[in-house]
Amino acid sequence: MALSGGFMEKAKPYFAMIALQFGYAGMNVLTKVSLNGGMSHYVLVVYRHAFATVAIAPFALILERKVRPKMTWSIFFQIFVLALLGPVIDQNFYYVGLKYTGPTFACAMSNILPAMTFVMAVIFRMEKIELKKVRCQAKIFGTVVTVAGAMLMTLYKGPLMHLAWTRHSQAGGGGEAPAVVDPTGKEWFLGSLFVIIATLAWASLFILQTHTIKQYTAQLSLTTLICFVGTIQAVVVTFVMERRPSVWTIGFDMNLLAAAYAGIVTSSIAYYVQGLVIKKTGPVFASAFSPLMMIIVAVMGSFILSEKIYLGAVLGAVVIVVGLYAVLWGKHKETQEKEATPLPVATNGHGATNTEMIGAAGARNDRDATGPTRPASNGRGGGSASAV
């Protein structure tokens, strides 16, 4: 029984991350169906983050009522920018890219997030380049390979891949029309560009959030505020971009399911579960599962949506995954080096070792090595930017 209990305890993070990938995959497929059904992506962003706000707010109010920092104009401005980068820019551009390409393509392209965040961290001097160290070389190599994979997916479409389980549905002329329309070359390029812009916005959010969370340490409250302010911003954007009142109409249909699922499951539950996993195993472990979601989406999309998968997307996805794991390996080695570095022994002035000071320094170093314990989830399962 003890061995069984120990195995289950060690296996919990694996089960949790695998379940999360299925949750993220379901969001991508449901969103694609909703967008193809005519729902405005602007409205979907509004409803999604409204659901997320309602789902997270009670936990923030109850669990952080005694530890919530005082709000200042500086913090509010940072939250305003975070909401603009995440709920508004990232989600809208991602949804348009998803509509123009497909769930599998969009998920694969999202794996460039860690590499993109690494580049931005270097630009803002949050990451040091030490070319003589193998871990740094691995992160640079992974970044270059990831960019090459993204360019391959964008510029090369290639022939249609005939999957074994979809040949019958593609050959048959009867039945329902497929939910996914074959994108043109222009739509393929624009969709790729929009997903890249969305990922850049999300990487920017992680960079800013790293700074904000040091000043506003109540993480649940921070996420609630980002979702709430993002909802208001998304409403304003929707009123500007959508002049038809009918776009706001939503019933008990796929549109409601897509918005509620994305808001509650991938922006709330997934956020909490991923936070627990990152706290226990670190961000590199959590990021390593993102390619699994791409495979799940490919299978679900081809079954449910009759999604067409092209050789360029497959080759580009493989290249991106190679680059992703190179970046993650480099970060893993960096974390190991930080943990292995001996801390200086401080004394209390009488020659005695102050173990309390050493313990506190070690805890601080652990937090710095892993970044924010619970980064706000973008709800699409992209590699955690905390990994870089």
Side-chain angles (χ1 to χ4, degrees):
M1 292 296 291
L3 290 175
S4 177
F7 170 77
M8 288 304 297
E9 187 65 27
K10 292 180 180 179
K12 280 181 180 179
Y14 292 89
F15 289 139
M17 289 308 302
I18 291 172
L20 276 185
Q21 303 317 306
F22 277 97
Y24 288 134
M27 185 278 296
N28 278 276
V29 173
L30 286 175
T31 300
K32 177 65 173 176
V33 173
S34 178
L35 293 173
N36 284 353
M39 186 175 189
S40 167
H41 61 87
Y42 298 109
V43 176
L44 181 57
V45 169
V46 173
Y47 286 137
R48 168 180 175 162
H49 289 92
F51 276 113
T53 303
V54 172
I56 302 176
F59 297 97
L61 291 172
I62 295 172
L63 298 177
E64 296 181 341
R65 64 183 184 276
K66 295 182 180 179
V67 297
R68 192 176 300 111
K70 182 181 178 181
M71 179 61 66
T72 64
W73 282 108
S74 174
I75 293 174
F76 177 77
F77 177 74
Q78 292 175 53
I79 291 174
F80 183 89
V81 176
L82 287 169
L84 190 64
L85 290 170
V88 179
I89 298 177
D90 168 71
Q91 293 299 316
N92 276 298
F93 276 99
Y94 182 78
Y95 283 158
V96 177
L98 177 66
K99 185 176 181 178
Y100 280 169
T101 55
T104 305
F105 183 94
C107 289
M109 188 69 80
S110 295
N111 284 312
I112 68 175
L113 176 63
M116 194 172 284
T117 310
F118 169 67
V119 173
M120 295 192 67
V122 171
I123 293 173
F124 289 100
R125 299 183 179 180
M126 299 171 67
E127 186 88 14
K128 293 182 179 179
I129 297 292
E130 299 174 283
L131 293 176
K132 294 183 179 180
K133 295 193 174 182
V134 177
R135 59 171 175 80
C136 192
Q137 294 171 4
K139 292 169 80 170
I140 295 173
F141 169 78
T143 301
V144 173
V145 170
T146 300
V147 172
M151 291 179 64
L152 178 61
M153 292 182 70
T154 303
L155 302 176
Y156 176 66
K157 189 175 181 180
L160 178 66
M161 300 288 291
H162 295 283
L163 304 178
W165 59 84
T166 60
R167 285 177 182 172
H168 176 72
S169 62
Q170 290 172 358
E176 296 182 0
V180 175
V181 179
D182 187 20
T184 64
K186 182 179 179 181
E187 289 176 337
W188 186 270
F189 179 79
L190 288 176
S192 305
L193 186 61
F194 288 148
V195 174
I196 291 173
I197 293 173
T199 308
L200 177 62
W202 198 254
S204 303
L205 181 142
F206 270 105
I207 296 296
L208 177 58
Q209 189 184 32
T210 302
H211 175 72
T212 306
I213 208 163
K214 293 176 182 178
Q215 302 177 40
Y216 198 85
T217 54
Q219 295 158 359
L220 280 171
S221 299
L222 179 61
T223 302
T224 302
L225 289 169
I226 292 173
C227 289
F228 176 69
V229 175
T231 302
I232 297 174
Q233 292 175 343
V235 168
V236 175
V237 171
T238 305
F239 274 124
V240 173
M241 302 301 296
E242 297 281 5
R243 303 301 175 89
R244 296 172 293 119
S246 58
V247 298
W248 294 96
T249 303
I250 190 169
F252 290 95
D253 53 14
M254 182 58 68
N255 295 341
L256 178 64
L257 177 61
Y261 183 95
I264 297 173
V265 176
T266 60
S267 291
S268 302
I269 296 176
Y271 156 78
Y272 180 72
V273 174
Q274 183 171 294
L276 292 178
V277 173
I278 289 175
K279 187 175 182 180
K280 185 174 183 179
T281 64
V284 175
F285 178 88
S287 299
F289 283 82
S290 58
L292 175 61
M293 178 193 62
M294 180 177 61
I295 299 172
I296 297 170
V297 169
V299 176
M300 291 177 63
S302 59
F303 270 114
I304 299 173
L305 301 173
S306 298
E307 181 186 9
K308 296 180 180 179
I309 300 176
Y310 294 88
L311 179 62
V314 175
L315 294 177
V318 171
V319 174
I320 285 176
V321 170
V322 171
L324 169 68
Y325 280 117
V327 173
L328 295 180
W329 183 86
K331 180 58 185 178
H332 176 64
K333 289 298 181 181
E334 179 184 334
T335 304
Q336 285 184 328
E337 286 184 14
K338 288 184 178 180
E339 291 175 348
T341 302
L343 295 170
V345 179
T347 61
N348 59 4
H350 300 282
T353 302
N354 192 336
T355 55
E356 290 81 1
M357 290 177 64
I358 297 175
R364 184 173 63 253
N365 286 343
D366 288 342
R367 286 196 297 272
D368 292 341
T370 58
T373 305
R374 295 181 184 176
S377 173
N378 61 1
R380 50 186 169 94
S384 173
S386 299
V388 293

